[in-house]
């Protein structure tokens, strides 16, 4: 169980982080490591070798009962009822206006559906799901029973191979299965938030430290490093992955956020279906665009985006890309300003040139060479 | 947290080393640790005049940006020209190779408003427990 410390909770790995000298910060109700040594070093460890993340603050909401899959299809934009067990889908919980209550991972397991939610949205999501589920499935918040650890990077497979049952290595991208890791029963998932090959492991709360220690030990010769939330953010931003609360929220729809593909085609009815169909047909009022700036131009959330001197949007996520050694940003542009060139970001008293970025800032390495599309 | 005894400090976490009529300025170990990896710095140019407690530069770290304040008034005599290329020096050695600029001391009475090491230590102890 988590140890309540006034306003914030501790993950089962709290002592590990403190002992490793991590700088701990409150994040979404949890005491989390923002960095152990340096965001730049931890970022490089993941891109070049491997990083180990404690993401136990994430929530896990589980649906059980014979109609759990139909219910997941009705509450989210995922479509799992006609898929094979083991499939994982990135999706959203939409509201009736097509906005995003949360962005989530939906796991179709043999005996249950697991929905992984953002820590900051856990209670809201749980209420949202309970209010709409109407008893068609049993809904359980298992967030405080599960430790989540992620190992990500080019060497993640080799490291994982030393602690996992051999069958688990056959998992393909966006697939999950149950198995043992370091002797601990786990849900093993070929997913992540870094753009690198890797695994996310869901284990019983109290076993978090055992799995953490085993992966650190197995990864020592591969140069594994524990990685905090600081590098987690710079890694995801380089991949252009959205962050809830920055780039997406209840007022943004998936189409304008550039993740319209999460809305799976379904014959059946689901929450937000009409609004999402209208949003898709209507064309986006605005568009989440990406920009690359100079090495000394570091855009921050809230900075204005200008097109030919006119304000056309605001930075929603921005920062320094450790890989590119340059400023990078995401921000919504009004539809009329969806141009190729002529952009700048206002940084204090100057206008820094910003080039539109097509695709991710850094090439994705989530799959091994020759691996089929999931 | 390292707080050398021979320096003077501001509430904004700059340090000042007084040598005759010259003051060398940088940010404290506490400041660099709070900011995290510094990736870019902006200073006034040599010959510019800065005024006590007014902005005298920008520090960009991976996570955040912070303003640098002039601890005292004076003319900028020299800036650390190695920092634009190697801003990590500030993280590595904030009181040594991470120094930022040197000022001519215009009004020695301003120095009396700066904090001594003991007072600065109490200040950061308070902010760490706030």
């Amino acid at each position: 169980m988590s140890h309540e410390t006034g306003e914030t909770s501790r993950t089962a790995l709290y002592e590990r982080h403190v002992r490793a000298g991590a700088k701990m910060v409150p994040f979404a109700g949890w005491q989390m490591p923002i960095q152990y040594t340096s965001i730049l070093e931890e970022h490089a460890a993941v891109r070049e070798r491997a990083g180990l993340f404690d993401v136990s603050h994430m929530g896990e909401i589980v649906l059980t009962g014979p109609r759990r899959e139909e219910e997941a299809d009705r509450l989210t934009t995922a479509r799992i009822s006609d898929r094979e067990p083991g499939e994982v889908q990135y999706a959203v919980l939409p509201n009736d206006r097509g906005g995003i209550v949360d962005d989530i991972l939906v796991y179709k397991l043999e005996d249950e559906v697991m929905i992984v939610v953002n820590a900051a949205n856990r209670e809201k999501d749980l209420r949202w799901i309970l209010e709409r589920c109407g008893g068609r499935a049993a809904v359980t918040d298992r967030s405080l029973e599960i430790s989540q650890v992620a190992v990500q990077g080019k060497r993640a497979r080799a490291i994982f191979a030393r602690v996992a049952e051999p069958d688990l290595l056959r998992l393909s991208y966006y697939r999950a299965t149950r198995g043992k890791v370091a002797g601990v029963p786990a849900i093993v998932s070929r997913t992540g938030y870094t753009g690198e090959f890797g695994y996310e492991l869901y284990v019983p709360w109290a076993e978090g430290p055992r799995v953490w220690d085993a992966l650190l030990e197995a990864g020592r010769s591969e140069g594994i490093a524990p990685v905090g939330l600081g590098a987690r953010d710079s890694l995801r931003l380089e991949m252009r992955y959205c962050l809830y609360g920055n780039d997406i929220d209840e007022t943004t729809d998936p189409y304008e956020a550039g993740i319209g593909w999460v809305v799976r085609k379904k014959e059946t009815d689901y929450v937000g279906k009409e609004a999402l169909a209208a949003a898709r047909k209507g064309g986006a009022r605005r568009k989440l665009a990406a920009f690359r700036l100079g090495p000394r131009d570091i855009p921050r959330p809230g900075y204005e985006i200008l097109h030919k001197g006119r304000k056309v949007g605001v930075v929603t996520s921005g920062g320094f890309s450790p890989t590119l050694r340059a400023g990078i940003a995401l921000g919504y542009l009004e539809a009329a300003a969806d141009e190729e060139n002529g952009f700048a970001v206002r940084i204090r008293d100057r206008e820094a040139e910003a080039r539109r970025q097509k695709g991710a800032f850094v090439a994705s390495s989530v799959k091994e060479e020759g691996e089929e599309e999931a | 947290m390292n707080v050398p005894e021979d320096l003077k400090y501001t509430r904004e976490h700059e340090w000042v080393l007084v040598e005759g009529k010259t003051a060398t300025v940088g940010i404290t170990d506490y400041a660099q640790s709070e900011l995290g990896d510094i990736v870019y710095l902006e200073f006034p140019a040599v010959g510019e005049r800065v005024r006590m407690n007014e902005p005298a530069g920008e520090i960009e770290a991976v996570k955040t940006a912070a303003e640098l304040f002039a601890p005292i008034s004076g003319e900028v005599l020299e800036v650390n020209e190695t920092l634009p290329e190697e801003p990590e020096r500030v993280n590595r050695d904030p009181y040594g190779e991470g120094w930022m600029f040197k000022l001519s001391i215009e009004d020695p009475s301003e120095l009396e408003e700066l904090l001594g090491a003991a007072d600065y230590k109490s200040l950061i102890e308070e902010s760490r427990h706030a």
Side-chain angles (χ1 to χ4, degrees), chain A residues 23 34-35 37-41 229-230 233-234 295-298 300 303 318-320 322 325 347-348 350, chain B residues 30 32-42 58-67 83-85 87-88:
Chain A
K23 189 194 288 182
I34 184 98
Q35 65 172 55
T37 57
S38 136
I39 294 175
L40 295 176
E41 285 174 20
L229 294 183
D233 190 51
S234 51
R296 295 175 169 186
D297 304 327
I298 306 177
R300 312 280 180 187
Y303 286 10
F320 182 76
R325 315 285 313 174
I347 299 179
R348 293 182 287 279
R350 61 197 176 87
Chain B
Y30 175 79
Q32 71 76 21
S33 151
E34 285 297 297
L35 287 168
D37 296 306
I38 293 165
V39 292
Y40 173 57
L41 298 118
E42 233 172 59
E58 282 291 333
I59 305 171
E60 294 272 10
V62 173
K63 274 309 276 183
T64 186
E67 223 158 14
L83 293 187
E85 289 308 311
E88 63 272 19

Side-chain angles (χ1 to χ4, degrees), chain A residues 159-165 180-183 214-215 218:
Chain A
I159 294 165
F160 186 67
R162 292 177 190 155
V163 296
E165 291 178 325
K180 280 197 173 162
V181 178
L215 285 163

Side-chain angles (χ1 to χ4, degrees), chain A residues 86-123:
Chain A
E87 181 152 336
V88 187
Q89 292 181 5
Y90 177 64
V92 303
L93 271 181
N95 64 26
D96 300 329
R97 288 161 287 129
I100 301 174
V101 177
D102 200 1
D103 65 327
I104 57 177
L105 286 179
V106 181
Y107 285 77
K108 174 168 172 164
L109 301 171
E110 293 280 358
D111 49 351
E112 62 185 32
V113 174
M114 180 169 77
I115 301 176
V116 179
V117 304
N118 282 296
N121 291 336
R122 183 183 125 216
E123 286 169 17

Side-chain angles (χ1 to χ4, degrees), chain A residues 40-97:
Chain A
L40 295 176
E41 285 174 20
E42 292 163 30
H43 185 108
V46 176
R47 287 273 180 261
E48 292 161 16
R49 304 183 304 276
L52 187 62
F53 301 75
D54 175 16
V55 276
S56 302
H57 61 307
M58 303 286 288
E60 294 86 10
I61 296 172
V62 171
L63 307 185
T64 50
R67 286 193 284 177
R68 61 186 183 273
E69 290 170 6
E70 289 73 17
E71 209 41 29
D73 282 359
R74 202 179 65 75
L75 293 174
T76 77
T77 60
R79 173 176 174 168
I80 58 163
S81 55
D82 59 354
R83 301 302 157 97
E84 291 300 311
E87 181 152 336
V88 187
Q89 292 181 5
Y90 177 64
V92 303
L93 271 181
N95 64 26
D96 300 329
R97 288 161 287 129

